[in-house]
């Protein structure tokens, strides 16, 4: 028996009957030989971590663009916090931690530069529209071109969880459903923490009915929400919170939209970001060769709007800003 087979055997001995077992995966789009050591879900996790798109998350905005200070979240630190919360929940429910972690680590790989402001801008500009969950799947399926046409060639369950971590449709596995909750638990609370650090909020601004139930700090609220989710999901073929707690979490989320995500300062930033992304989009449509090696991913008849949308979505904040400066801002000139 190989190490992988022993891992798969122990999954059946320990995990909940509602868990997703690695040896029962619906498989990959391109069939490949099994690893002797790692399960399929472990391999997916490793492929995601070693990808270029994952590394670029460290220079993509979570909420605050170019913050002054080292302790603000980035899209990468957000991803790690989601993975930590999700694994805690999966372990408590005896679900598959490897699958849960793989989905969590890959869920935002398709996010634009400049956070949701960048996403909204690209959605307005591109004729293809833009949703970061759909683009995250496109990244792992194609743009991370480990195998041409199959990207990272991840399992069905990981791909399904990445696609359905956002939006109205639900993942087909309980592990995927955990990510939807973990993502929300993480970003609501760490965005509050960052907003307090930025001086845009204080804990007293949060309505008292929310803090009375969920807690008066990010750590208290995360702990409370995670425990409620576990208590309501244990030994169940579903992932859910109690109705009162979920209602209050959604109220807190709306508070953040009203006071941080869509406030006047965010709108001003959004206008600047739309101008920047629109300018880059127009430039690269007219000068496709300047996208360099990115063009090698595609067949010759690929639509230019599709190529430019992918290229800009993959940019970090730093790269997008630098390219805008190079293209549109004057530079010093000296006669040789």
């Amino acid at each position: 028996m190989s190490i992988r087979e022993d891992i798969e055997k122990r999954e059946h001995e320990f995990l909940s009957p509602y868990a997703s077992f690695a040896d029962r995966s619906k498989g990959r789009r391109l069939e490949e030989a099994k690893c002797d050591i790692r399960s399929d879900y472990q391999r997916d996790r490793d492929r995601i971590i070693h990808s270029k798109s994952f590394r670029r998350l460290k220079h993509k905005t979570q909420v605050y663009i170019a913050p002054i200070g080292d302790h603000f979240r980035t899209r990468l630190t957000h991803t790690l916090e989601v993975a930590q919360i999700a694994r805690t929940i999966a372990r408590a429910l005896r679900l598959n931690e490897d699958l849960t972690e793989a989905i969590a680590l890959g869920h935002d790989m398709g996010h634009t530069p400049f956070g949701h402001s960048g996403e909204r801008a690209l959605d307005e500009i591109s004729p293809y529209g833009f949703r970061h969950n759909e683009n995250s799947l496109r990244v792992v399926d194609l743009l991370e071109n480990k195998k041409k046409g199959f990207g990272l060639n991840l399992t069905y369950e990981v791909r399904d969880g990445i696609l359905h971590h956002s939006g109205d449709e639900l993942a087909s596995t309980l592990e995927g459903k955990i990510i939807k909750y973990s993502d929300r638990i993480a970003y609501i609370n760490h965005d509050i923490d960052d907003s307090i650090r930025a001086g845009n909020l204080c804990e007293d601004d949060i309505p008292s009915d929310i803090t009375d139930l969920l807690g008066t700090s990010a750590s208290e609220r995360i702990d409370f929400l995670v425990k409620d989710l576990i208590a309501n999901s244990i030994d169940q073929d579903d992932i859910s919170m109690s109705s009162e707690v979920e209602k209050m979490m959604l109220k807190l989320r709306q508070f953040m939209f009203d006071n941080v995500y869509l406030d006047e300062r965010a709108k001003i930033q959004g206008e600047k970001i739309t101008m920047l992304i629109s300018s880059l989009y127009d430039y690269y449509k007219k000068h496709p060769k300047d996208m360099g090696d990115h063009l090698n991913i595609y067949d010759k008849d690929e639509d230019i709007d599709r190529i430019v949308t992918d290229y800009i979505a993959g940019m970090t904040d730093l790269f997008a800003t630098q390219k805008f400066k190079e293209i549109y801002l004057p530079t010093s000139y000296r006669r040789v």
Side-chain angles (χ1 to χ4, degrees):
M1 179 183 293
S2 68
I3 294 174
R4 170 186 54 80
E5 289 170 329
D6 183 57
I7 290 171
E8 293 170 346
K9 179 176 179 290
R10 284 188 279 116
E11 283 186 354
H12 285 280
E13 294 170 350
F14 174 74
L15 295 183
S16 162
Y18 302 118
S20 299
F21 298 98
D23 62 353
R24 294 181 182 174
S25 169
K26 293 183 180 180
R28 307 180 187 280
R29 295 191 300 159
L30 178 65
E31 188 174 348
E32 56 184 82
K34 299 280 187 180
C35 176
D36 291 336
I37 298 173
R38 297 167 296 165
S39 73
D40 284 350
Y41 299 146
Q42 289 176 304
R43 293 182 82 185
D44 285 358
R45 176 201 59 203
D46 295 351
R47 290 177 181 185
I48 289 168
I49 287 176
H50 290 288
S51 69
K52 297 186 297 294
S53 297
F54 183 79
R55 293 196 294 276
R56 290 199 300 270
L57 295 177
K58 68 181 178 180
H59 291 306
K60 292 195 177 190
T61 290
Q62 174 60 23
V63 171
Y64 289 96
I65 298 165
I68 299 174
D70 296 330
H71 298 144
F72 288 88
R73 271 74 171 187
T74 66
R75 190 61 56 179
L76 179 60
T77 56
H78 159 72
T79 294
L80 297 176
E81 291 183 24
V82 172
Q84 177 268 316
I85 291 170
R87 285 196 61 172
T88 296
I89 296 168
R91 182 173 296 184
L93 298 177
R94 291 188 298 119
L95 298 177
N96 196 308
E97 286 186 58
D98 294 326
L99 172 58
T100 304
E101 185 177 29
I103 298 169
L105 293 174
H107 83 281
D108 269 356
M109 283 174 64
H111 227 298
T112 60
F114 309 114
H116 288 286
S117 294
E119 180 176 15
R120 286 189 291 271
L122 200 52
D123 185 45
E124 292 173 5
I125 296 163
S126 173
Y128 289 91
F130 192 87
R131 296 291 183 274
H132 77 273
N133 57 314
E134 296 173 0
N135 197 57
S136 292
L137 183 62
R138 181 171 174 81
V139 166
V140 300
D141 275 358
L142 174 66
L143 302 180
E144 280 288 341
N145 203 35
K146 188 172 183 178
K147 291 183 173 67
K148 191 171 178 66
F150 291 93
L152 299 180
N153 198 32
L154 304 180
T155 57
Y156 167 85
E157 293 78 12
V158 174
R159 296 173 60 250
D160 173 77
I162 288 173
L163 177 62
H164 295 115
H165 84 269
S166 180
D168 295 332
E169 294 185 13
L170 298 177
S172 63
T173 65
L174 296 190
E175 292 83 358
K177 292 178 181 178
I178 285 175
I179 304 306
K180 197 179 188 76
Y181 275 103
S182 300
D183 185 32
R184 188 166 288 178
I185 291 170
Y187 77 68
I188 290 173
N189 287 289
H190 64 48
D191 291 352
I192 291 173
D193 186 46
D194 279 355
S195 296
I196 293 171
R197 180 171 292 106
N200 294 333
L201 281 182
C202 64
E203 279 286 352
D204 291 342
D205 293 329
I206 303 173
S208 59
D209 58 334
I210 296 176
T211 56
D212 288 347
L213 179 63
L214 302 185
T216 58
S217 70
S219 60
E220 286 182 7
R221 286 187 291 269
I222 292 172
D223 184 69
F224 185 88
L225 292 167
V226 167
K227 287 179 177 176
D228 181 83
L229 185 70
I230 291 169
N232 280 273
S233 305
I234 196 162
D235 295 328
Q236 301 294 319
D237 190 15
D238 197 13
I239 303 296
S240 65
M241 288 180 171
S242 62
S243 58
E244 180 185 12
V245 171
E246 183 155 19
K247 179 180 177 181
M248 203 59 71
M249 181 181 71
L250 293 175
K251 184 175 180 179
L252 180 58
R253 179 174 180 265
Q254 188 60 52
F255 168 83
M256 289 298 290
F257 270 92
D258 295 339
N259 293 277
V260 176
Y261 304 144
L262 299 178
D263 73 352
E264 192 60 33
R265 288 163 295 193
K267 290 177 183 177
I268 293 171
Q269 284 279 41
E271 291 171 0
K272 294 178 180 180
I273 291 163
T274 298
M275 182 274 293
L276 184 151
I277 288 180
S278 178
S279 299
L280 291 177
Y281 198 99
D282 290 342
Y283 177 84
Y284 286 113
K285 278 195 69 173
K286 295 173 183 176
H287 305 88
K289 290 183 179 179
D290 285 357
M291 288 184 282
D293 291 342
H294 176 72
L295 299 174
N296 297 334
I297 296 172
Y298 305 92
D299 295 328
K300 292 182 179 179
D301 59 350
E302 184 70 70
D303 179 60
I304 186 62
D305 282 292
R306 177 74 270 175
I307 295 173
V308 175
T309 298
D310 289 340
Y311 188 56
I312 292 178
M315 291 179 174
T316 64
D317 297 18
L318 294 173
F319 187 79
T321 302
Q322 182 60 38
K323 287 300 176 183
F324 180 85
K325 290 178 180 178
E326 290 176 7
I327 294 166
Y328 291 107
L329 297 187
T331 58
S332 61
Y333 172 79
R334 184 179 67 178
R335 185 184 300 273
V336 178

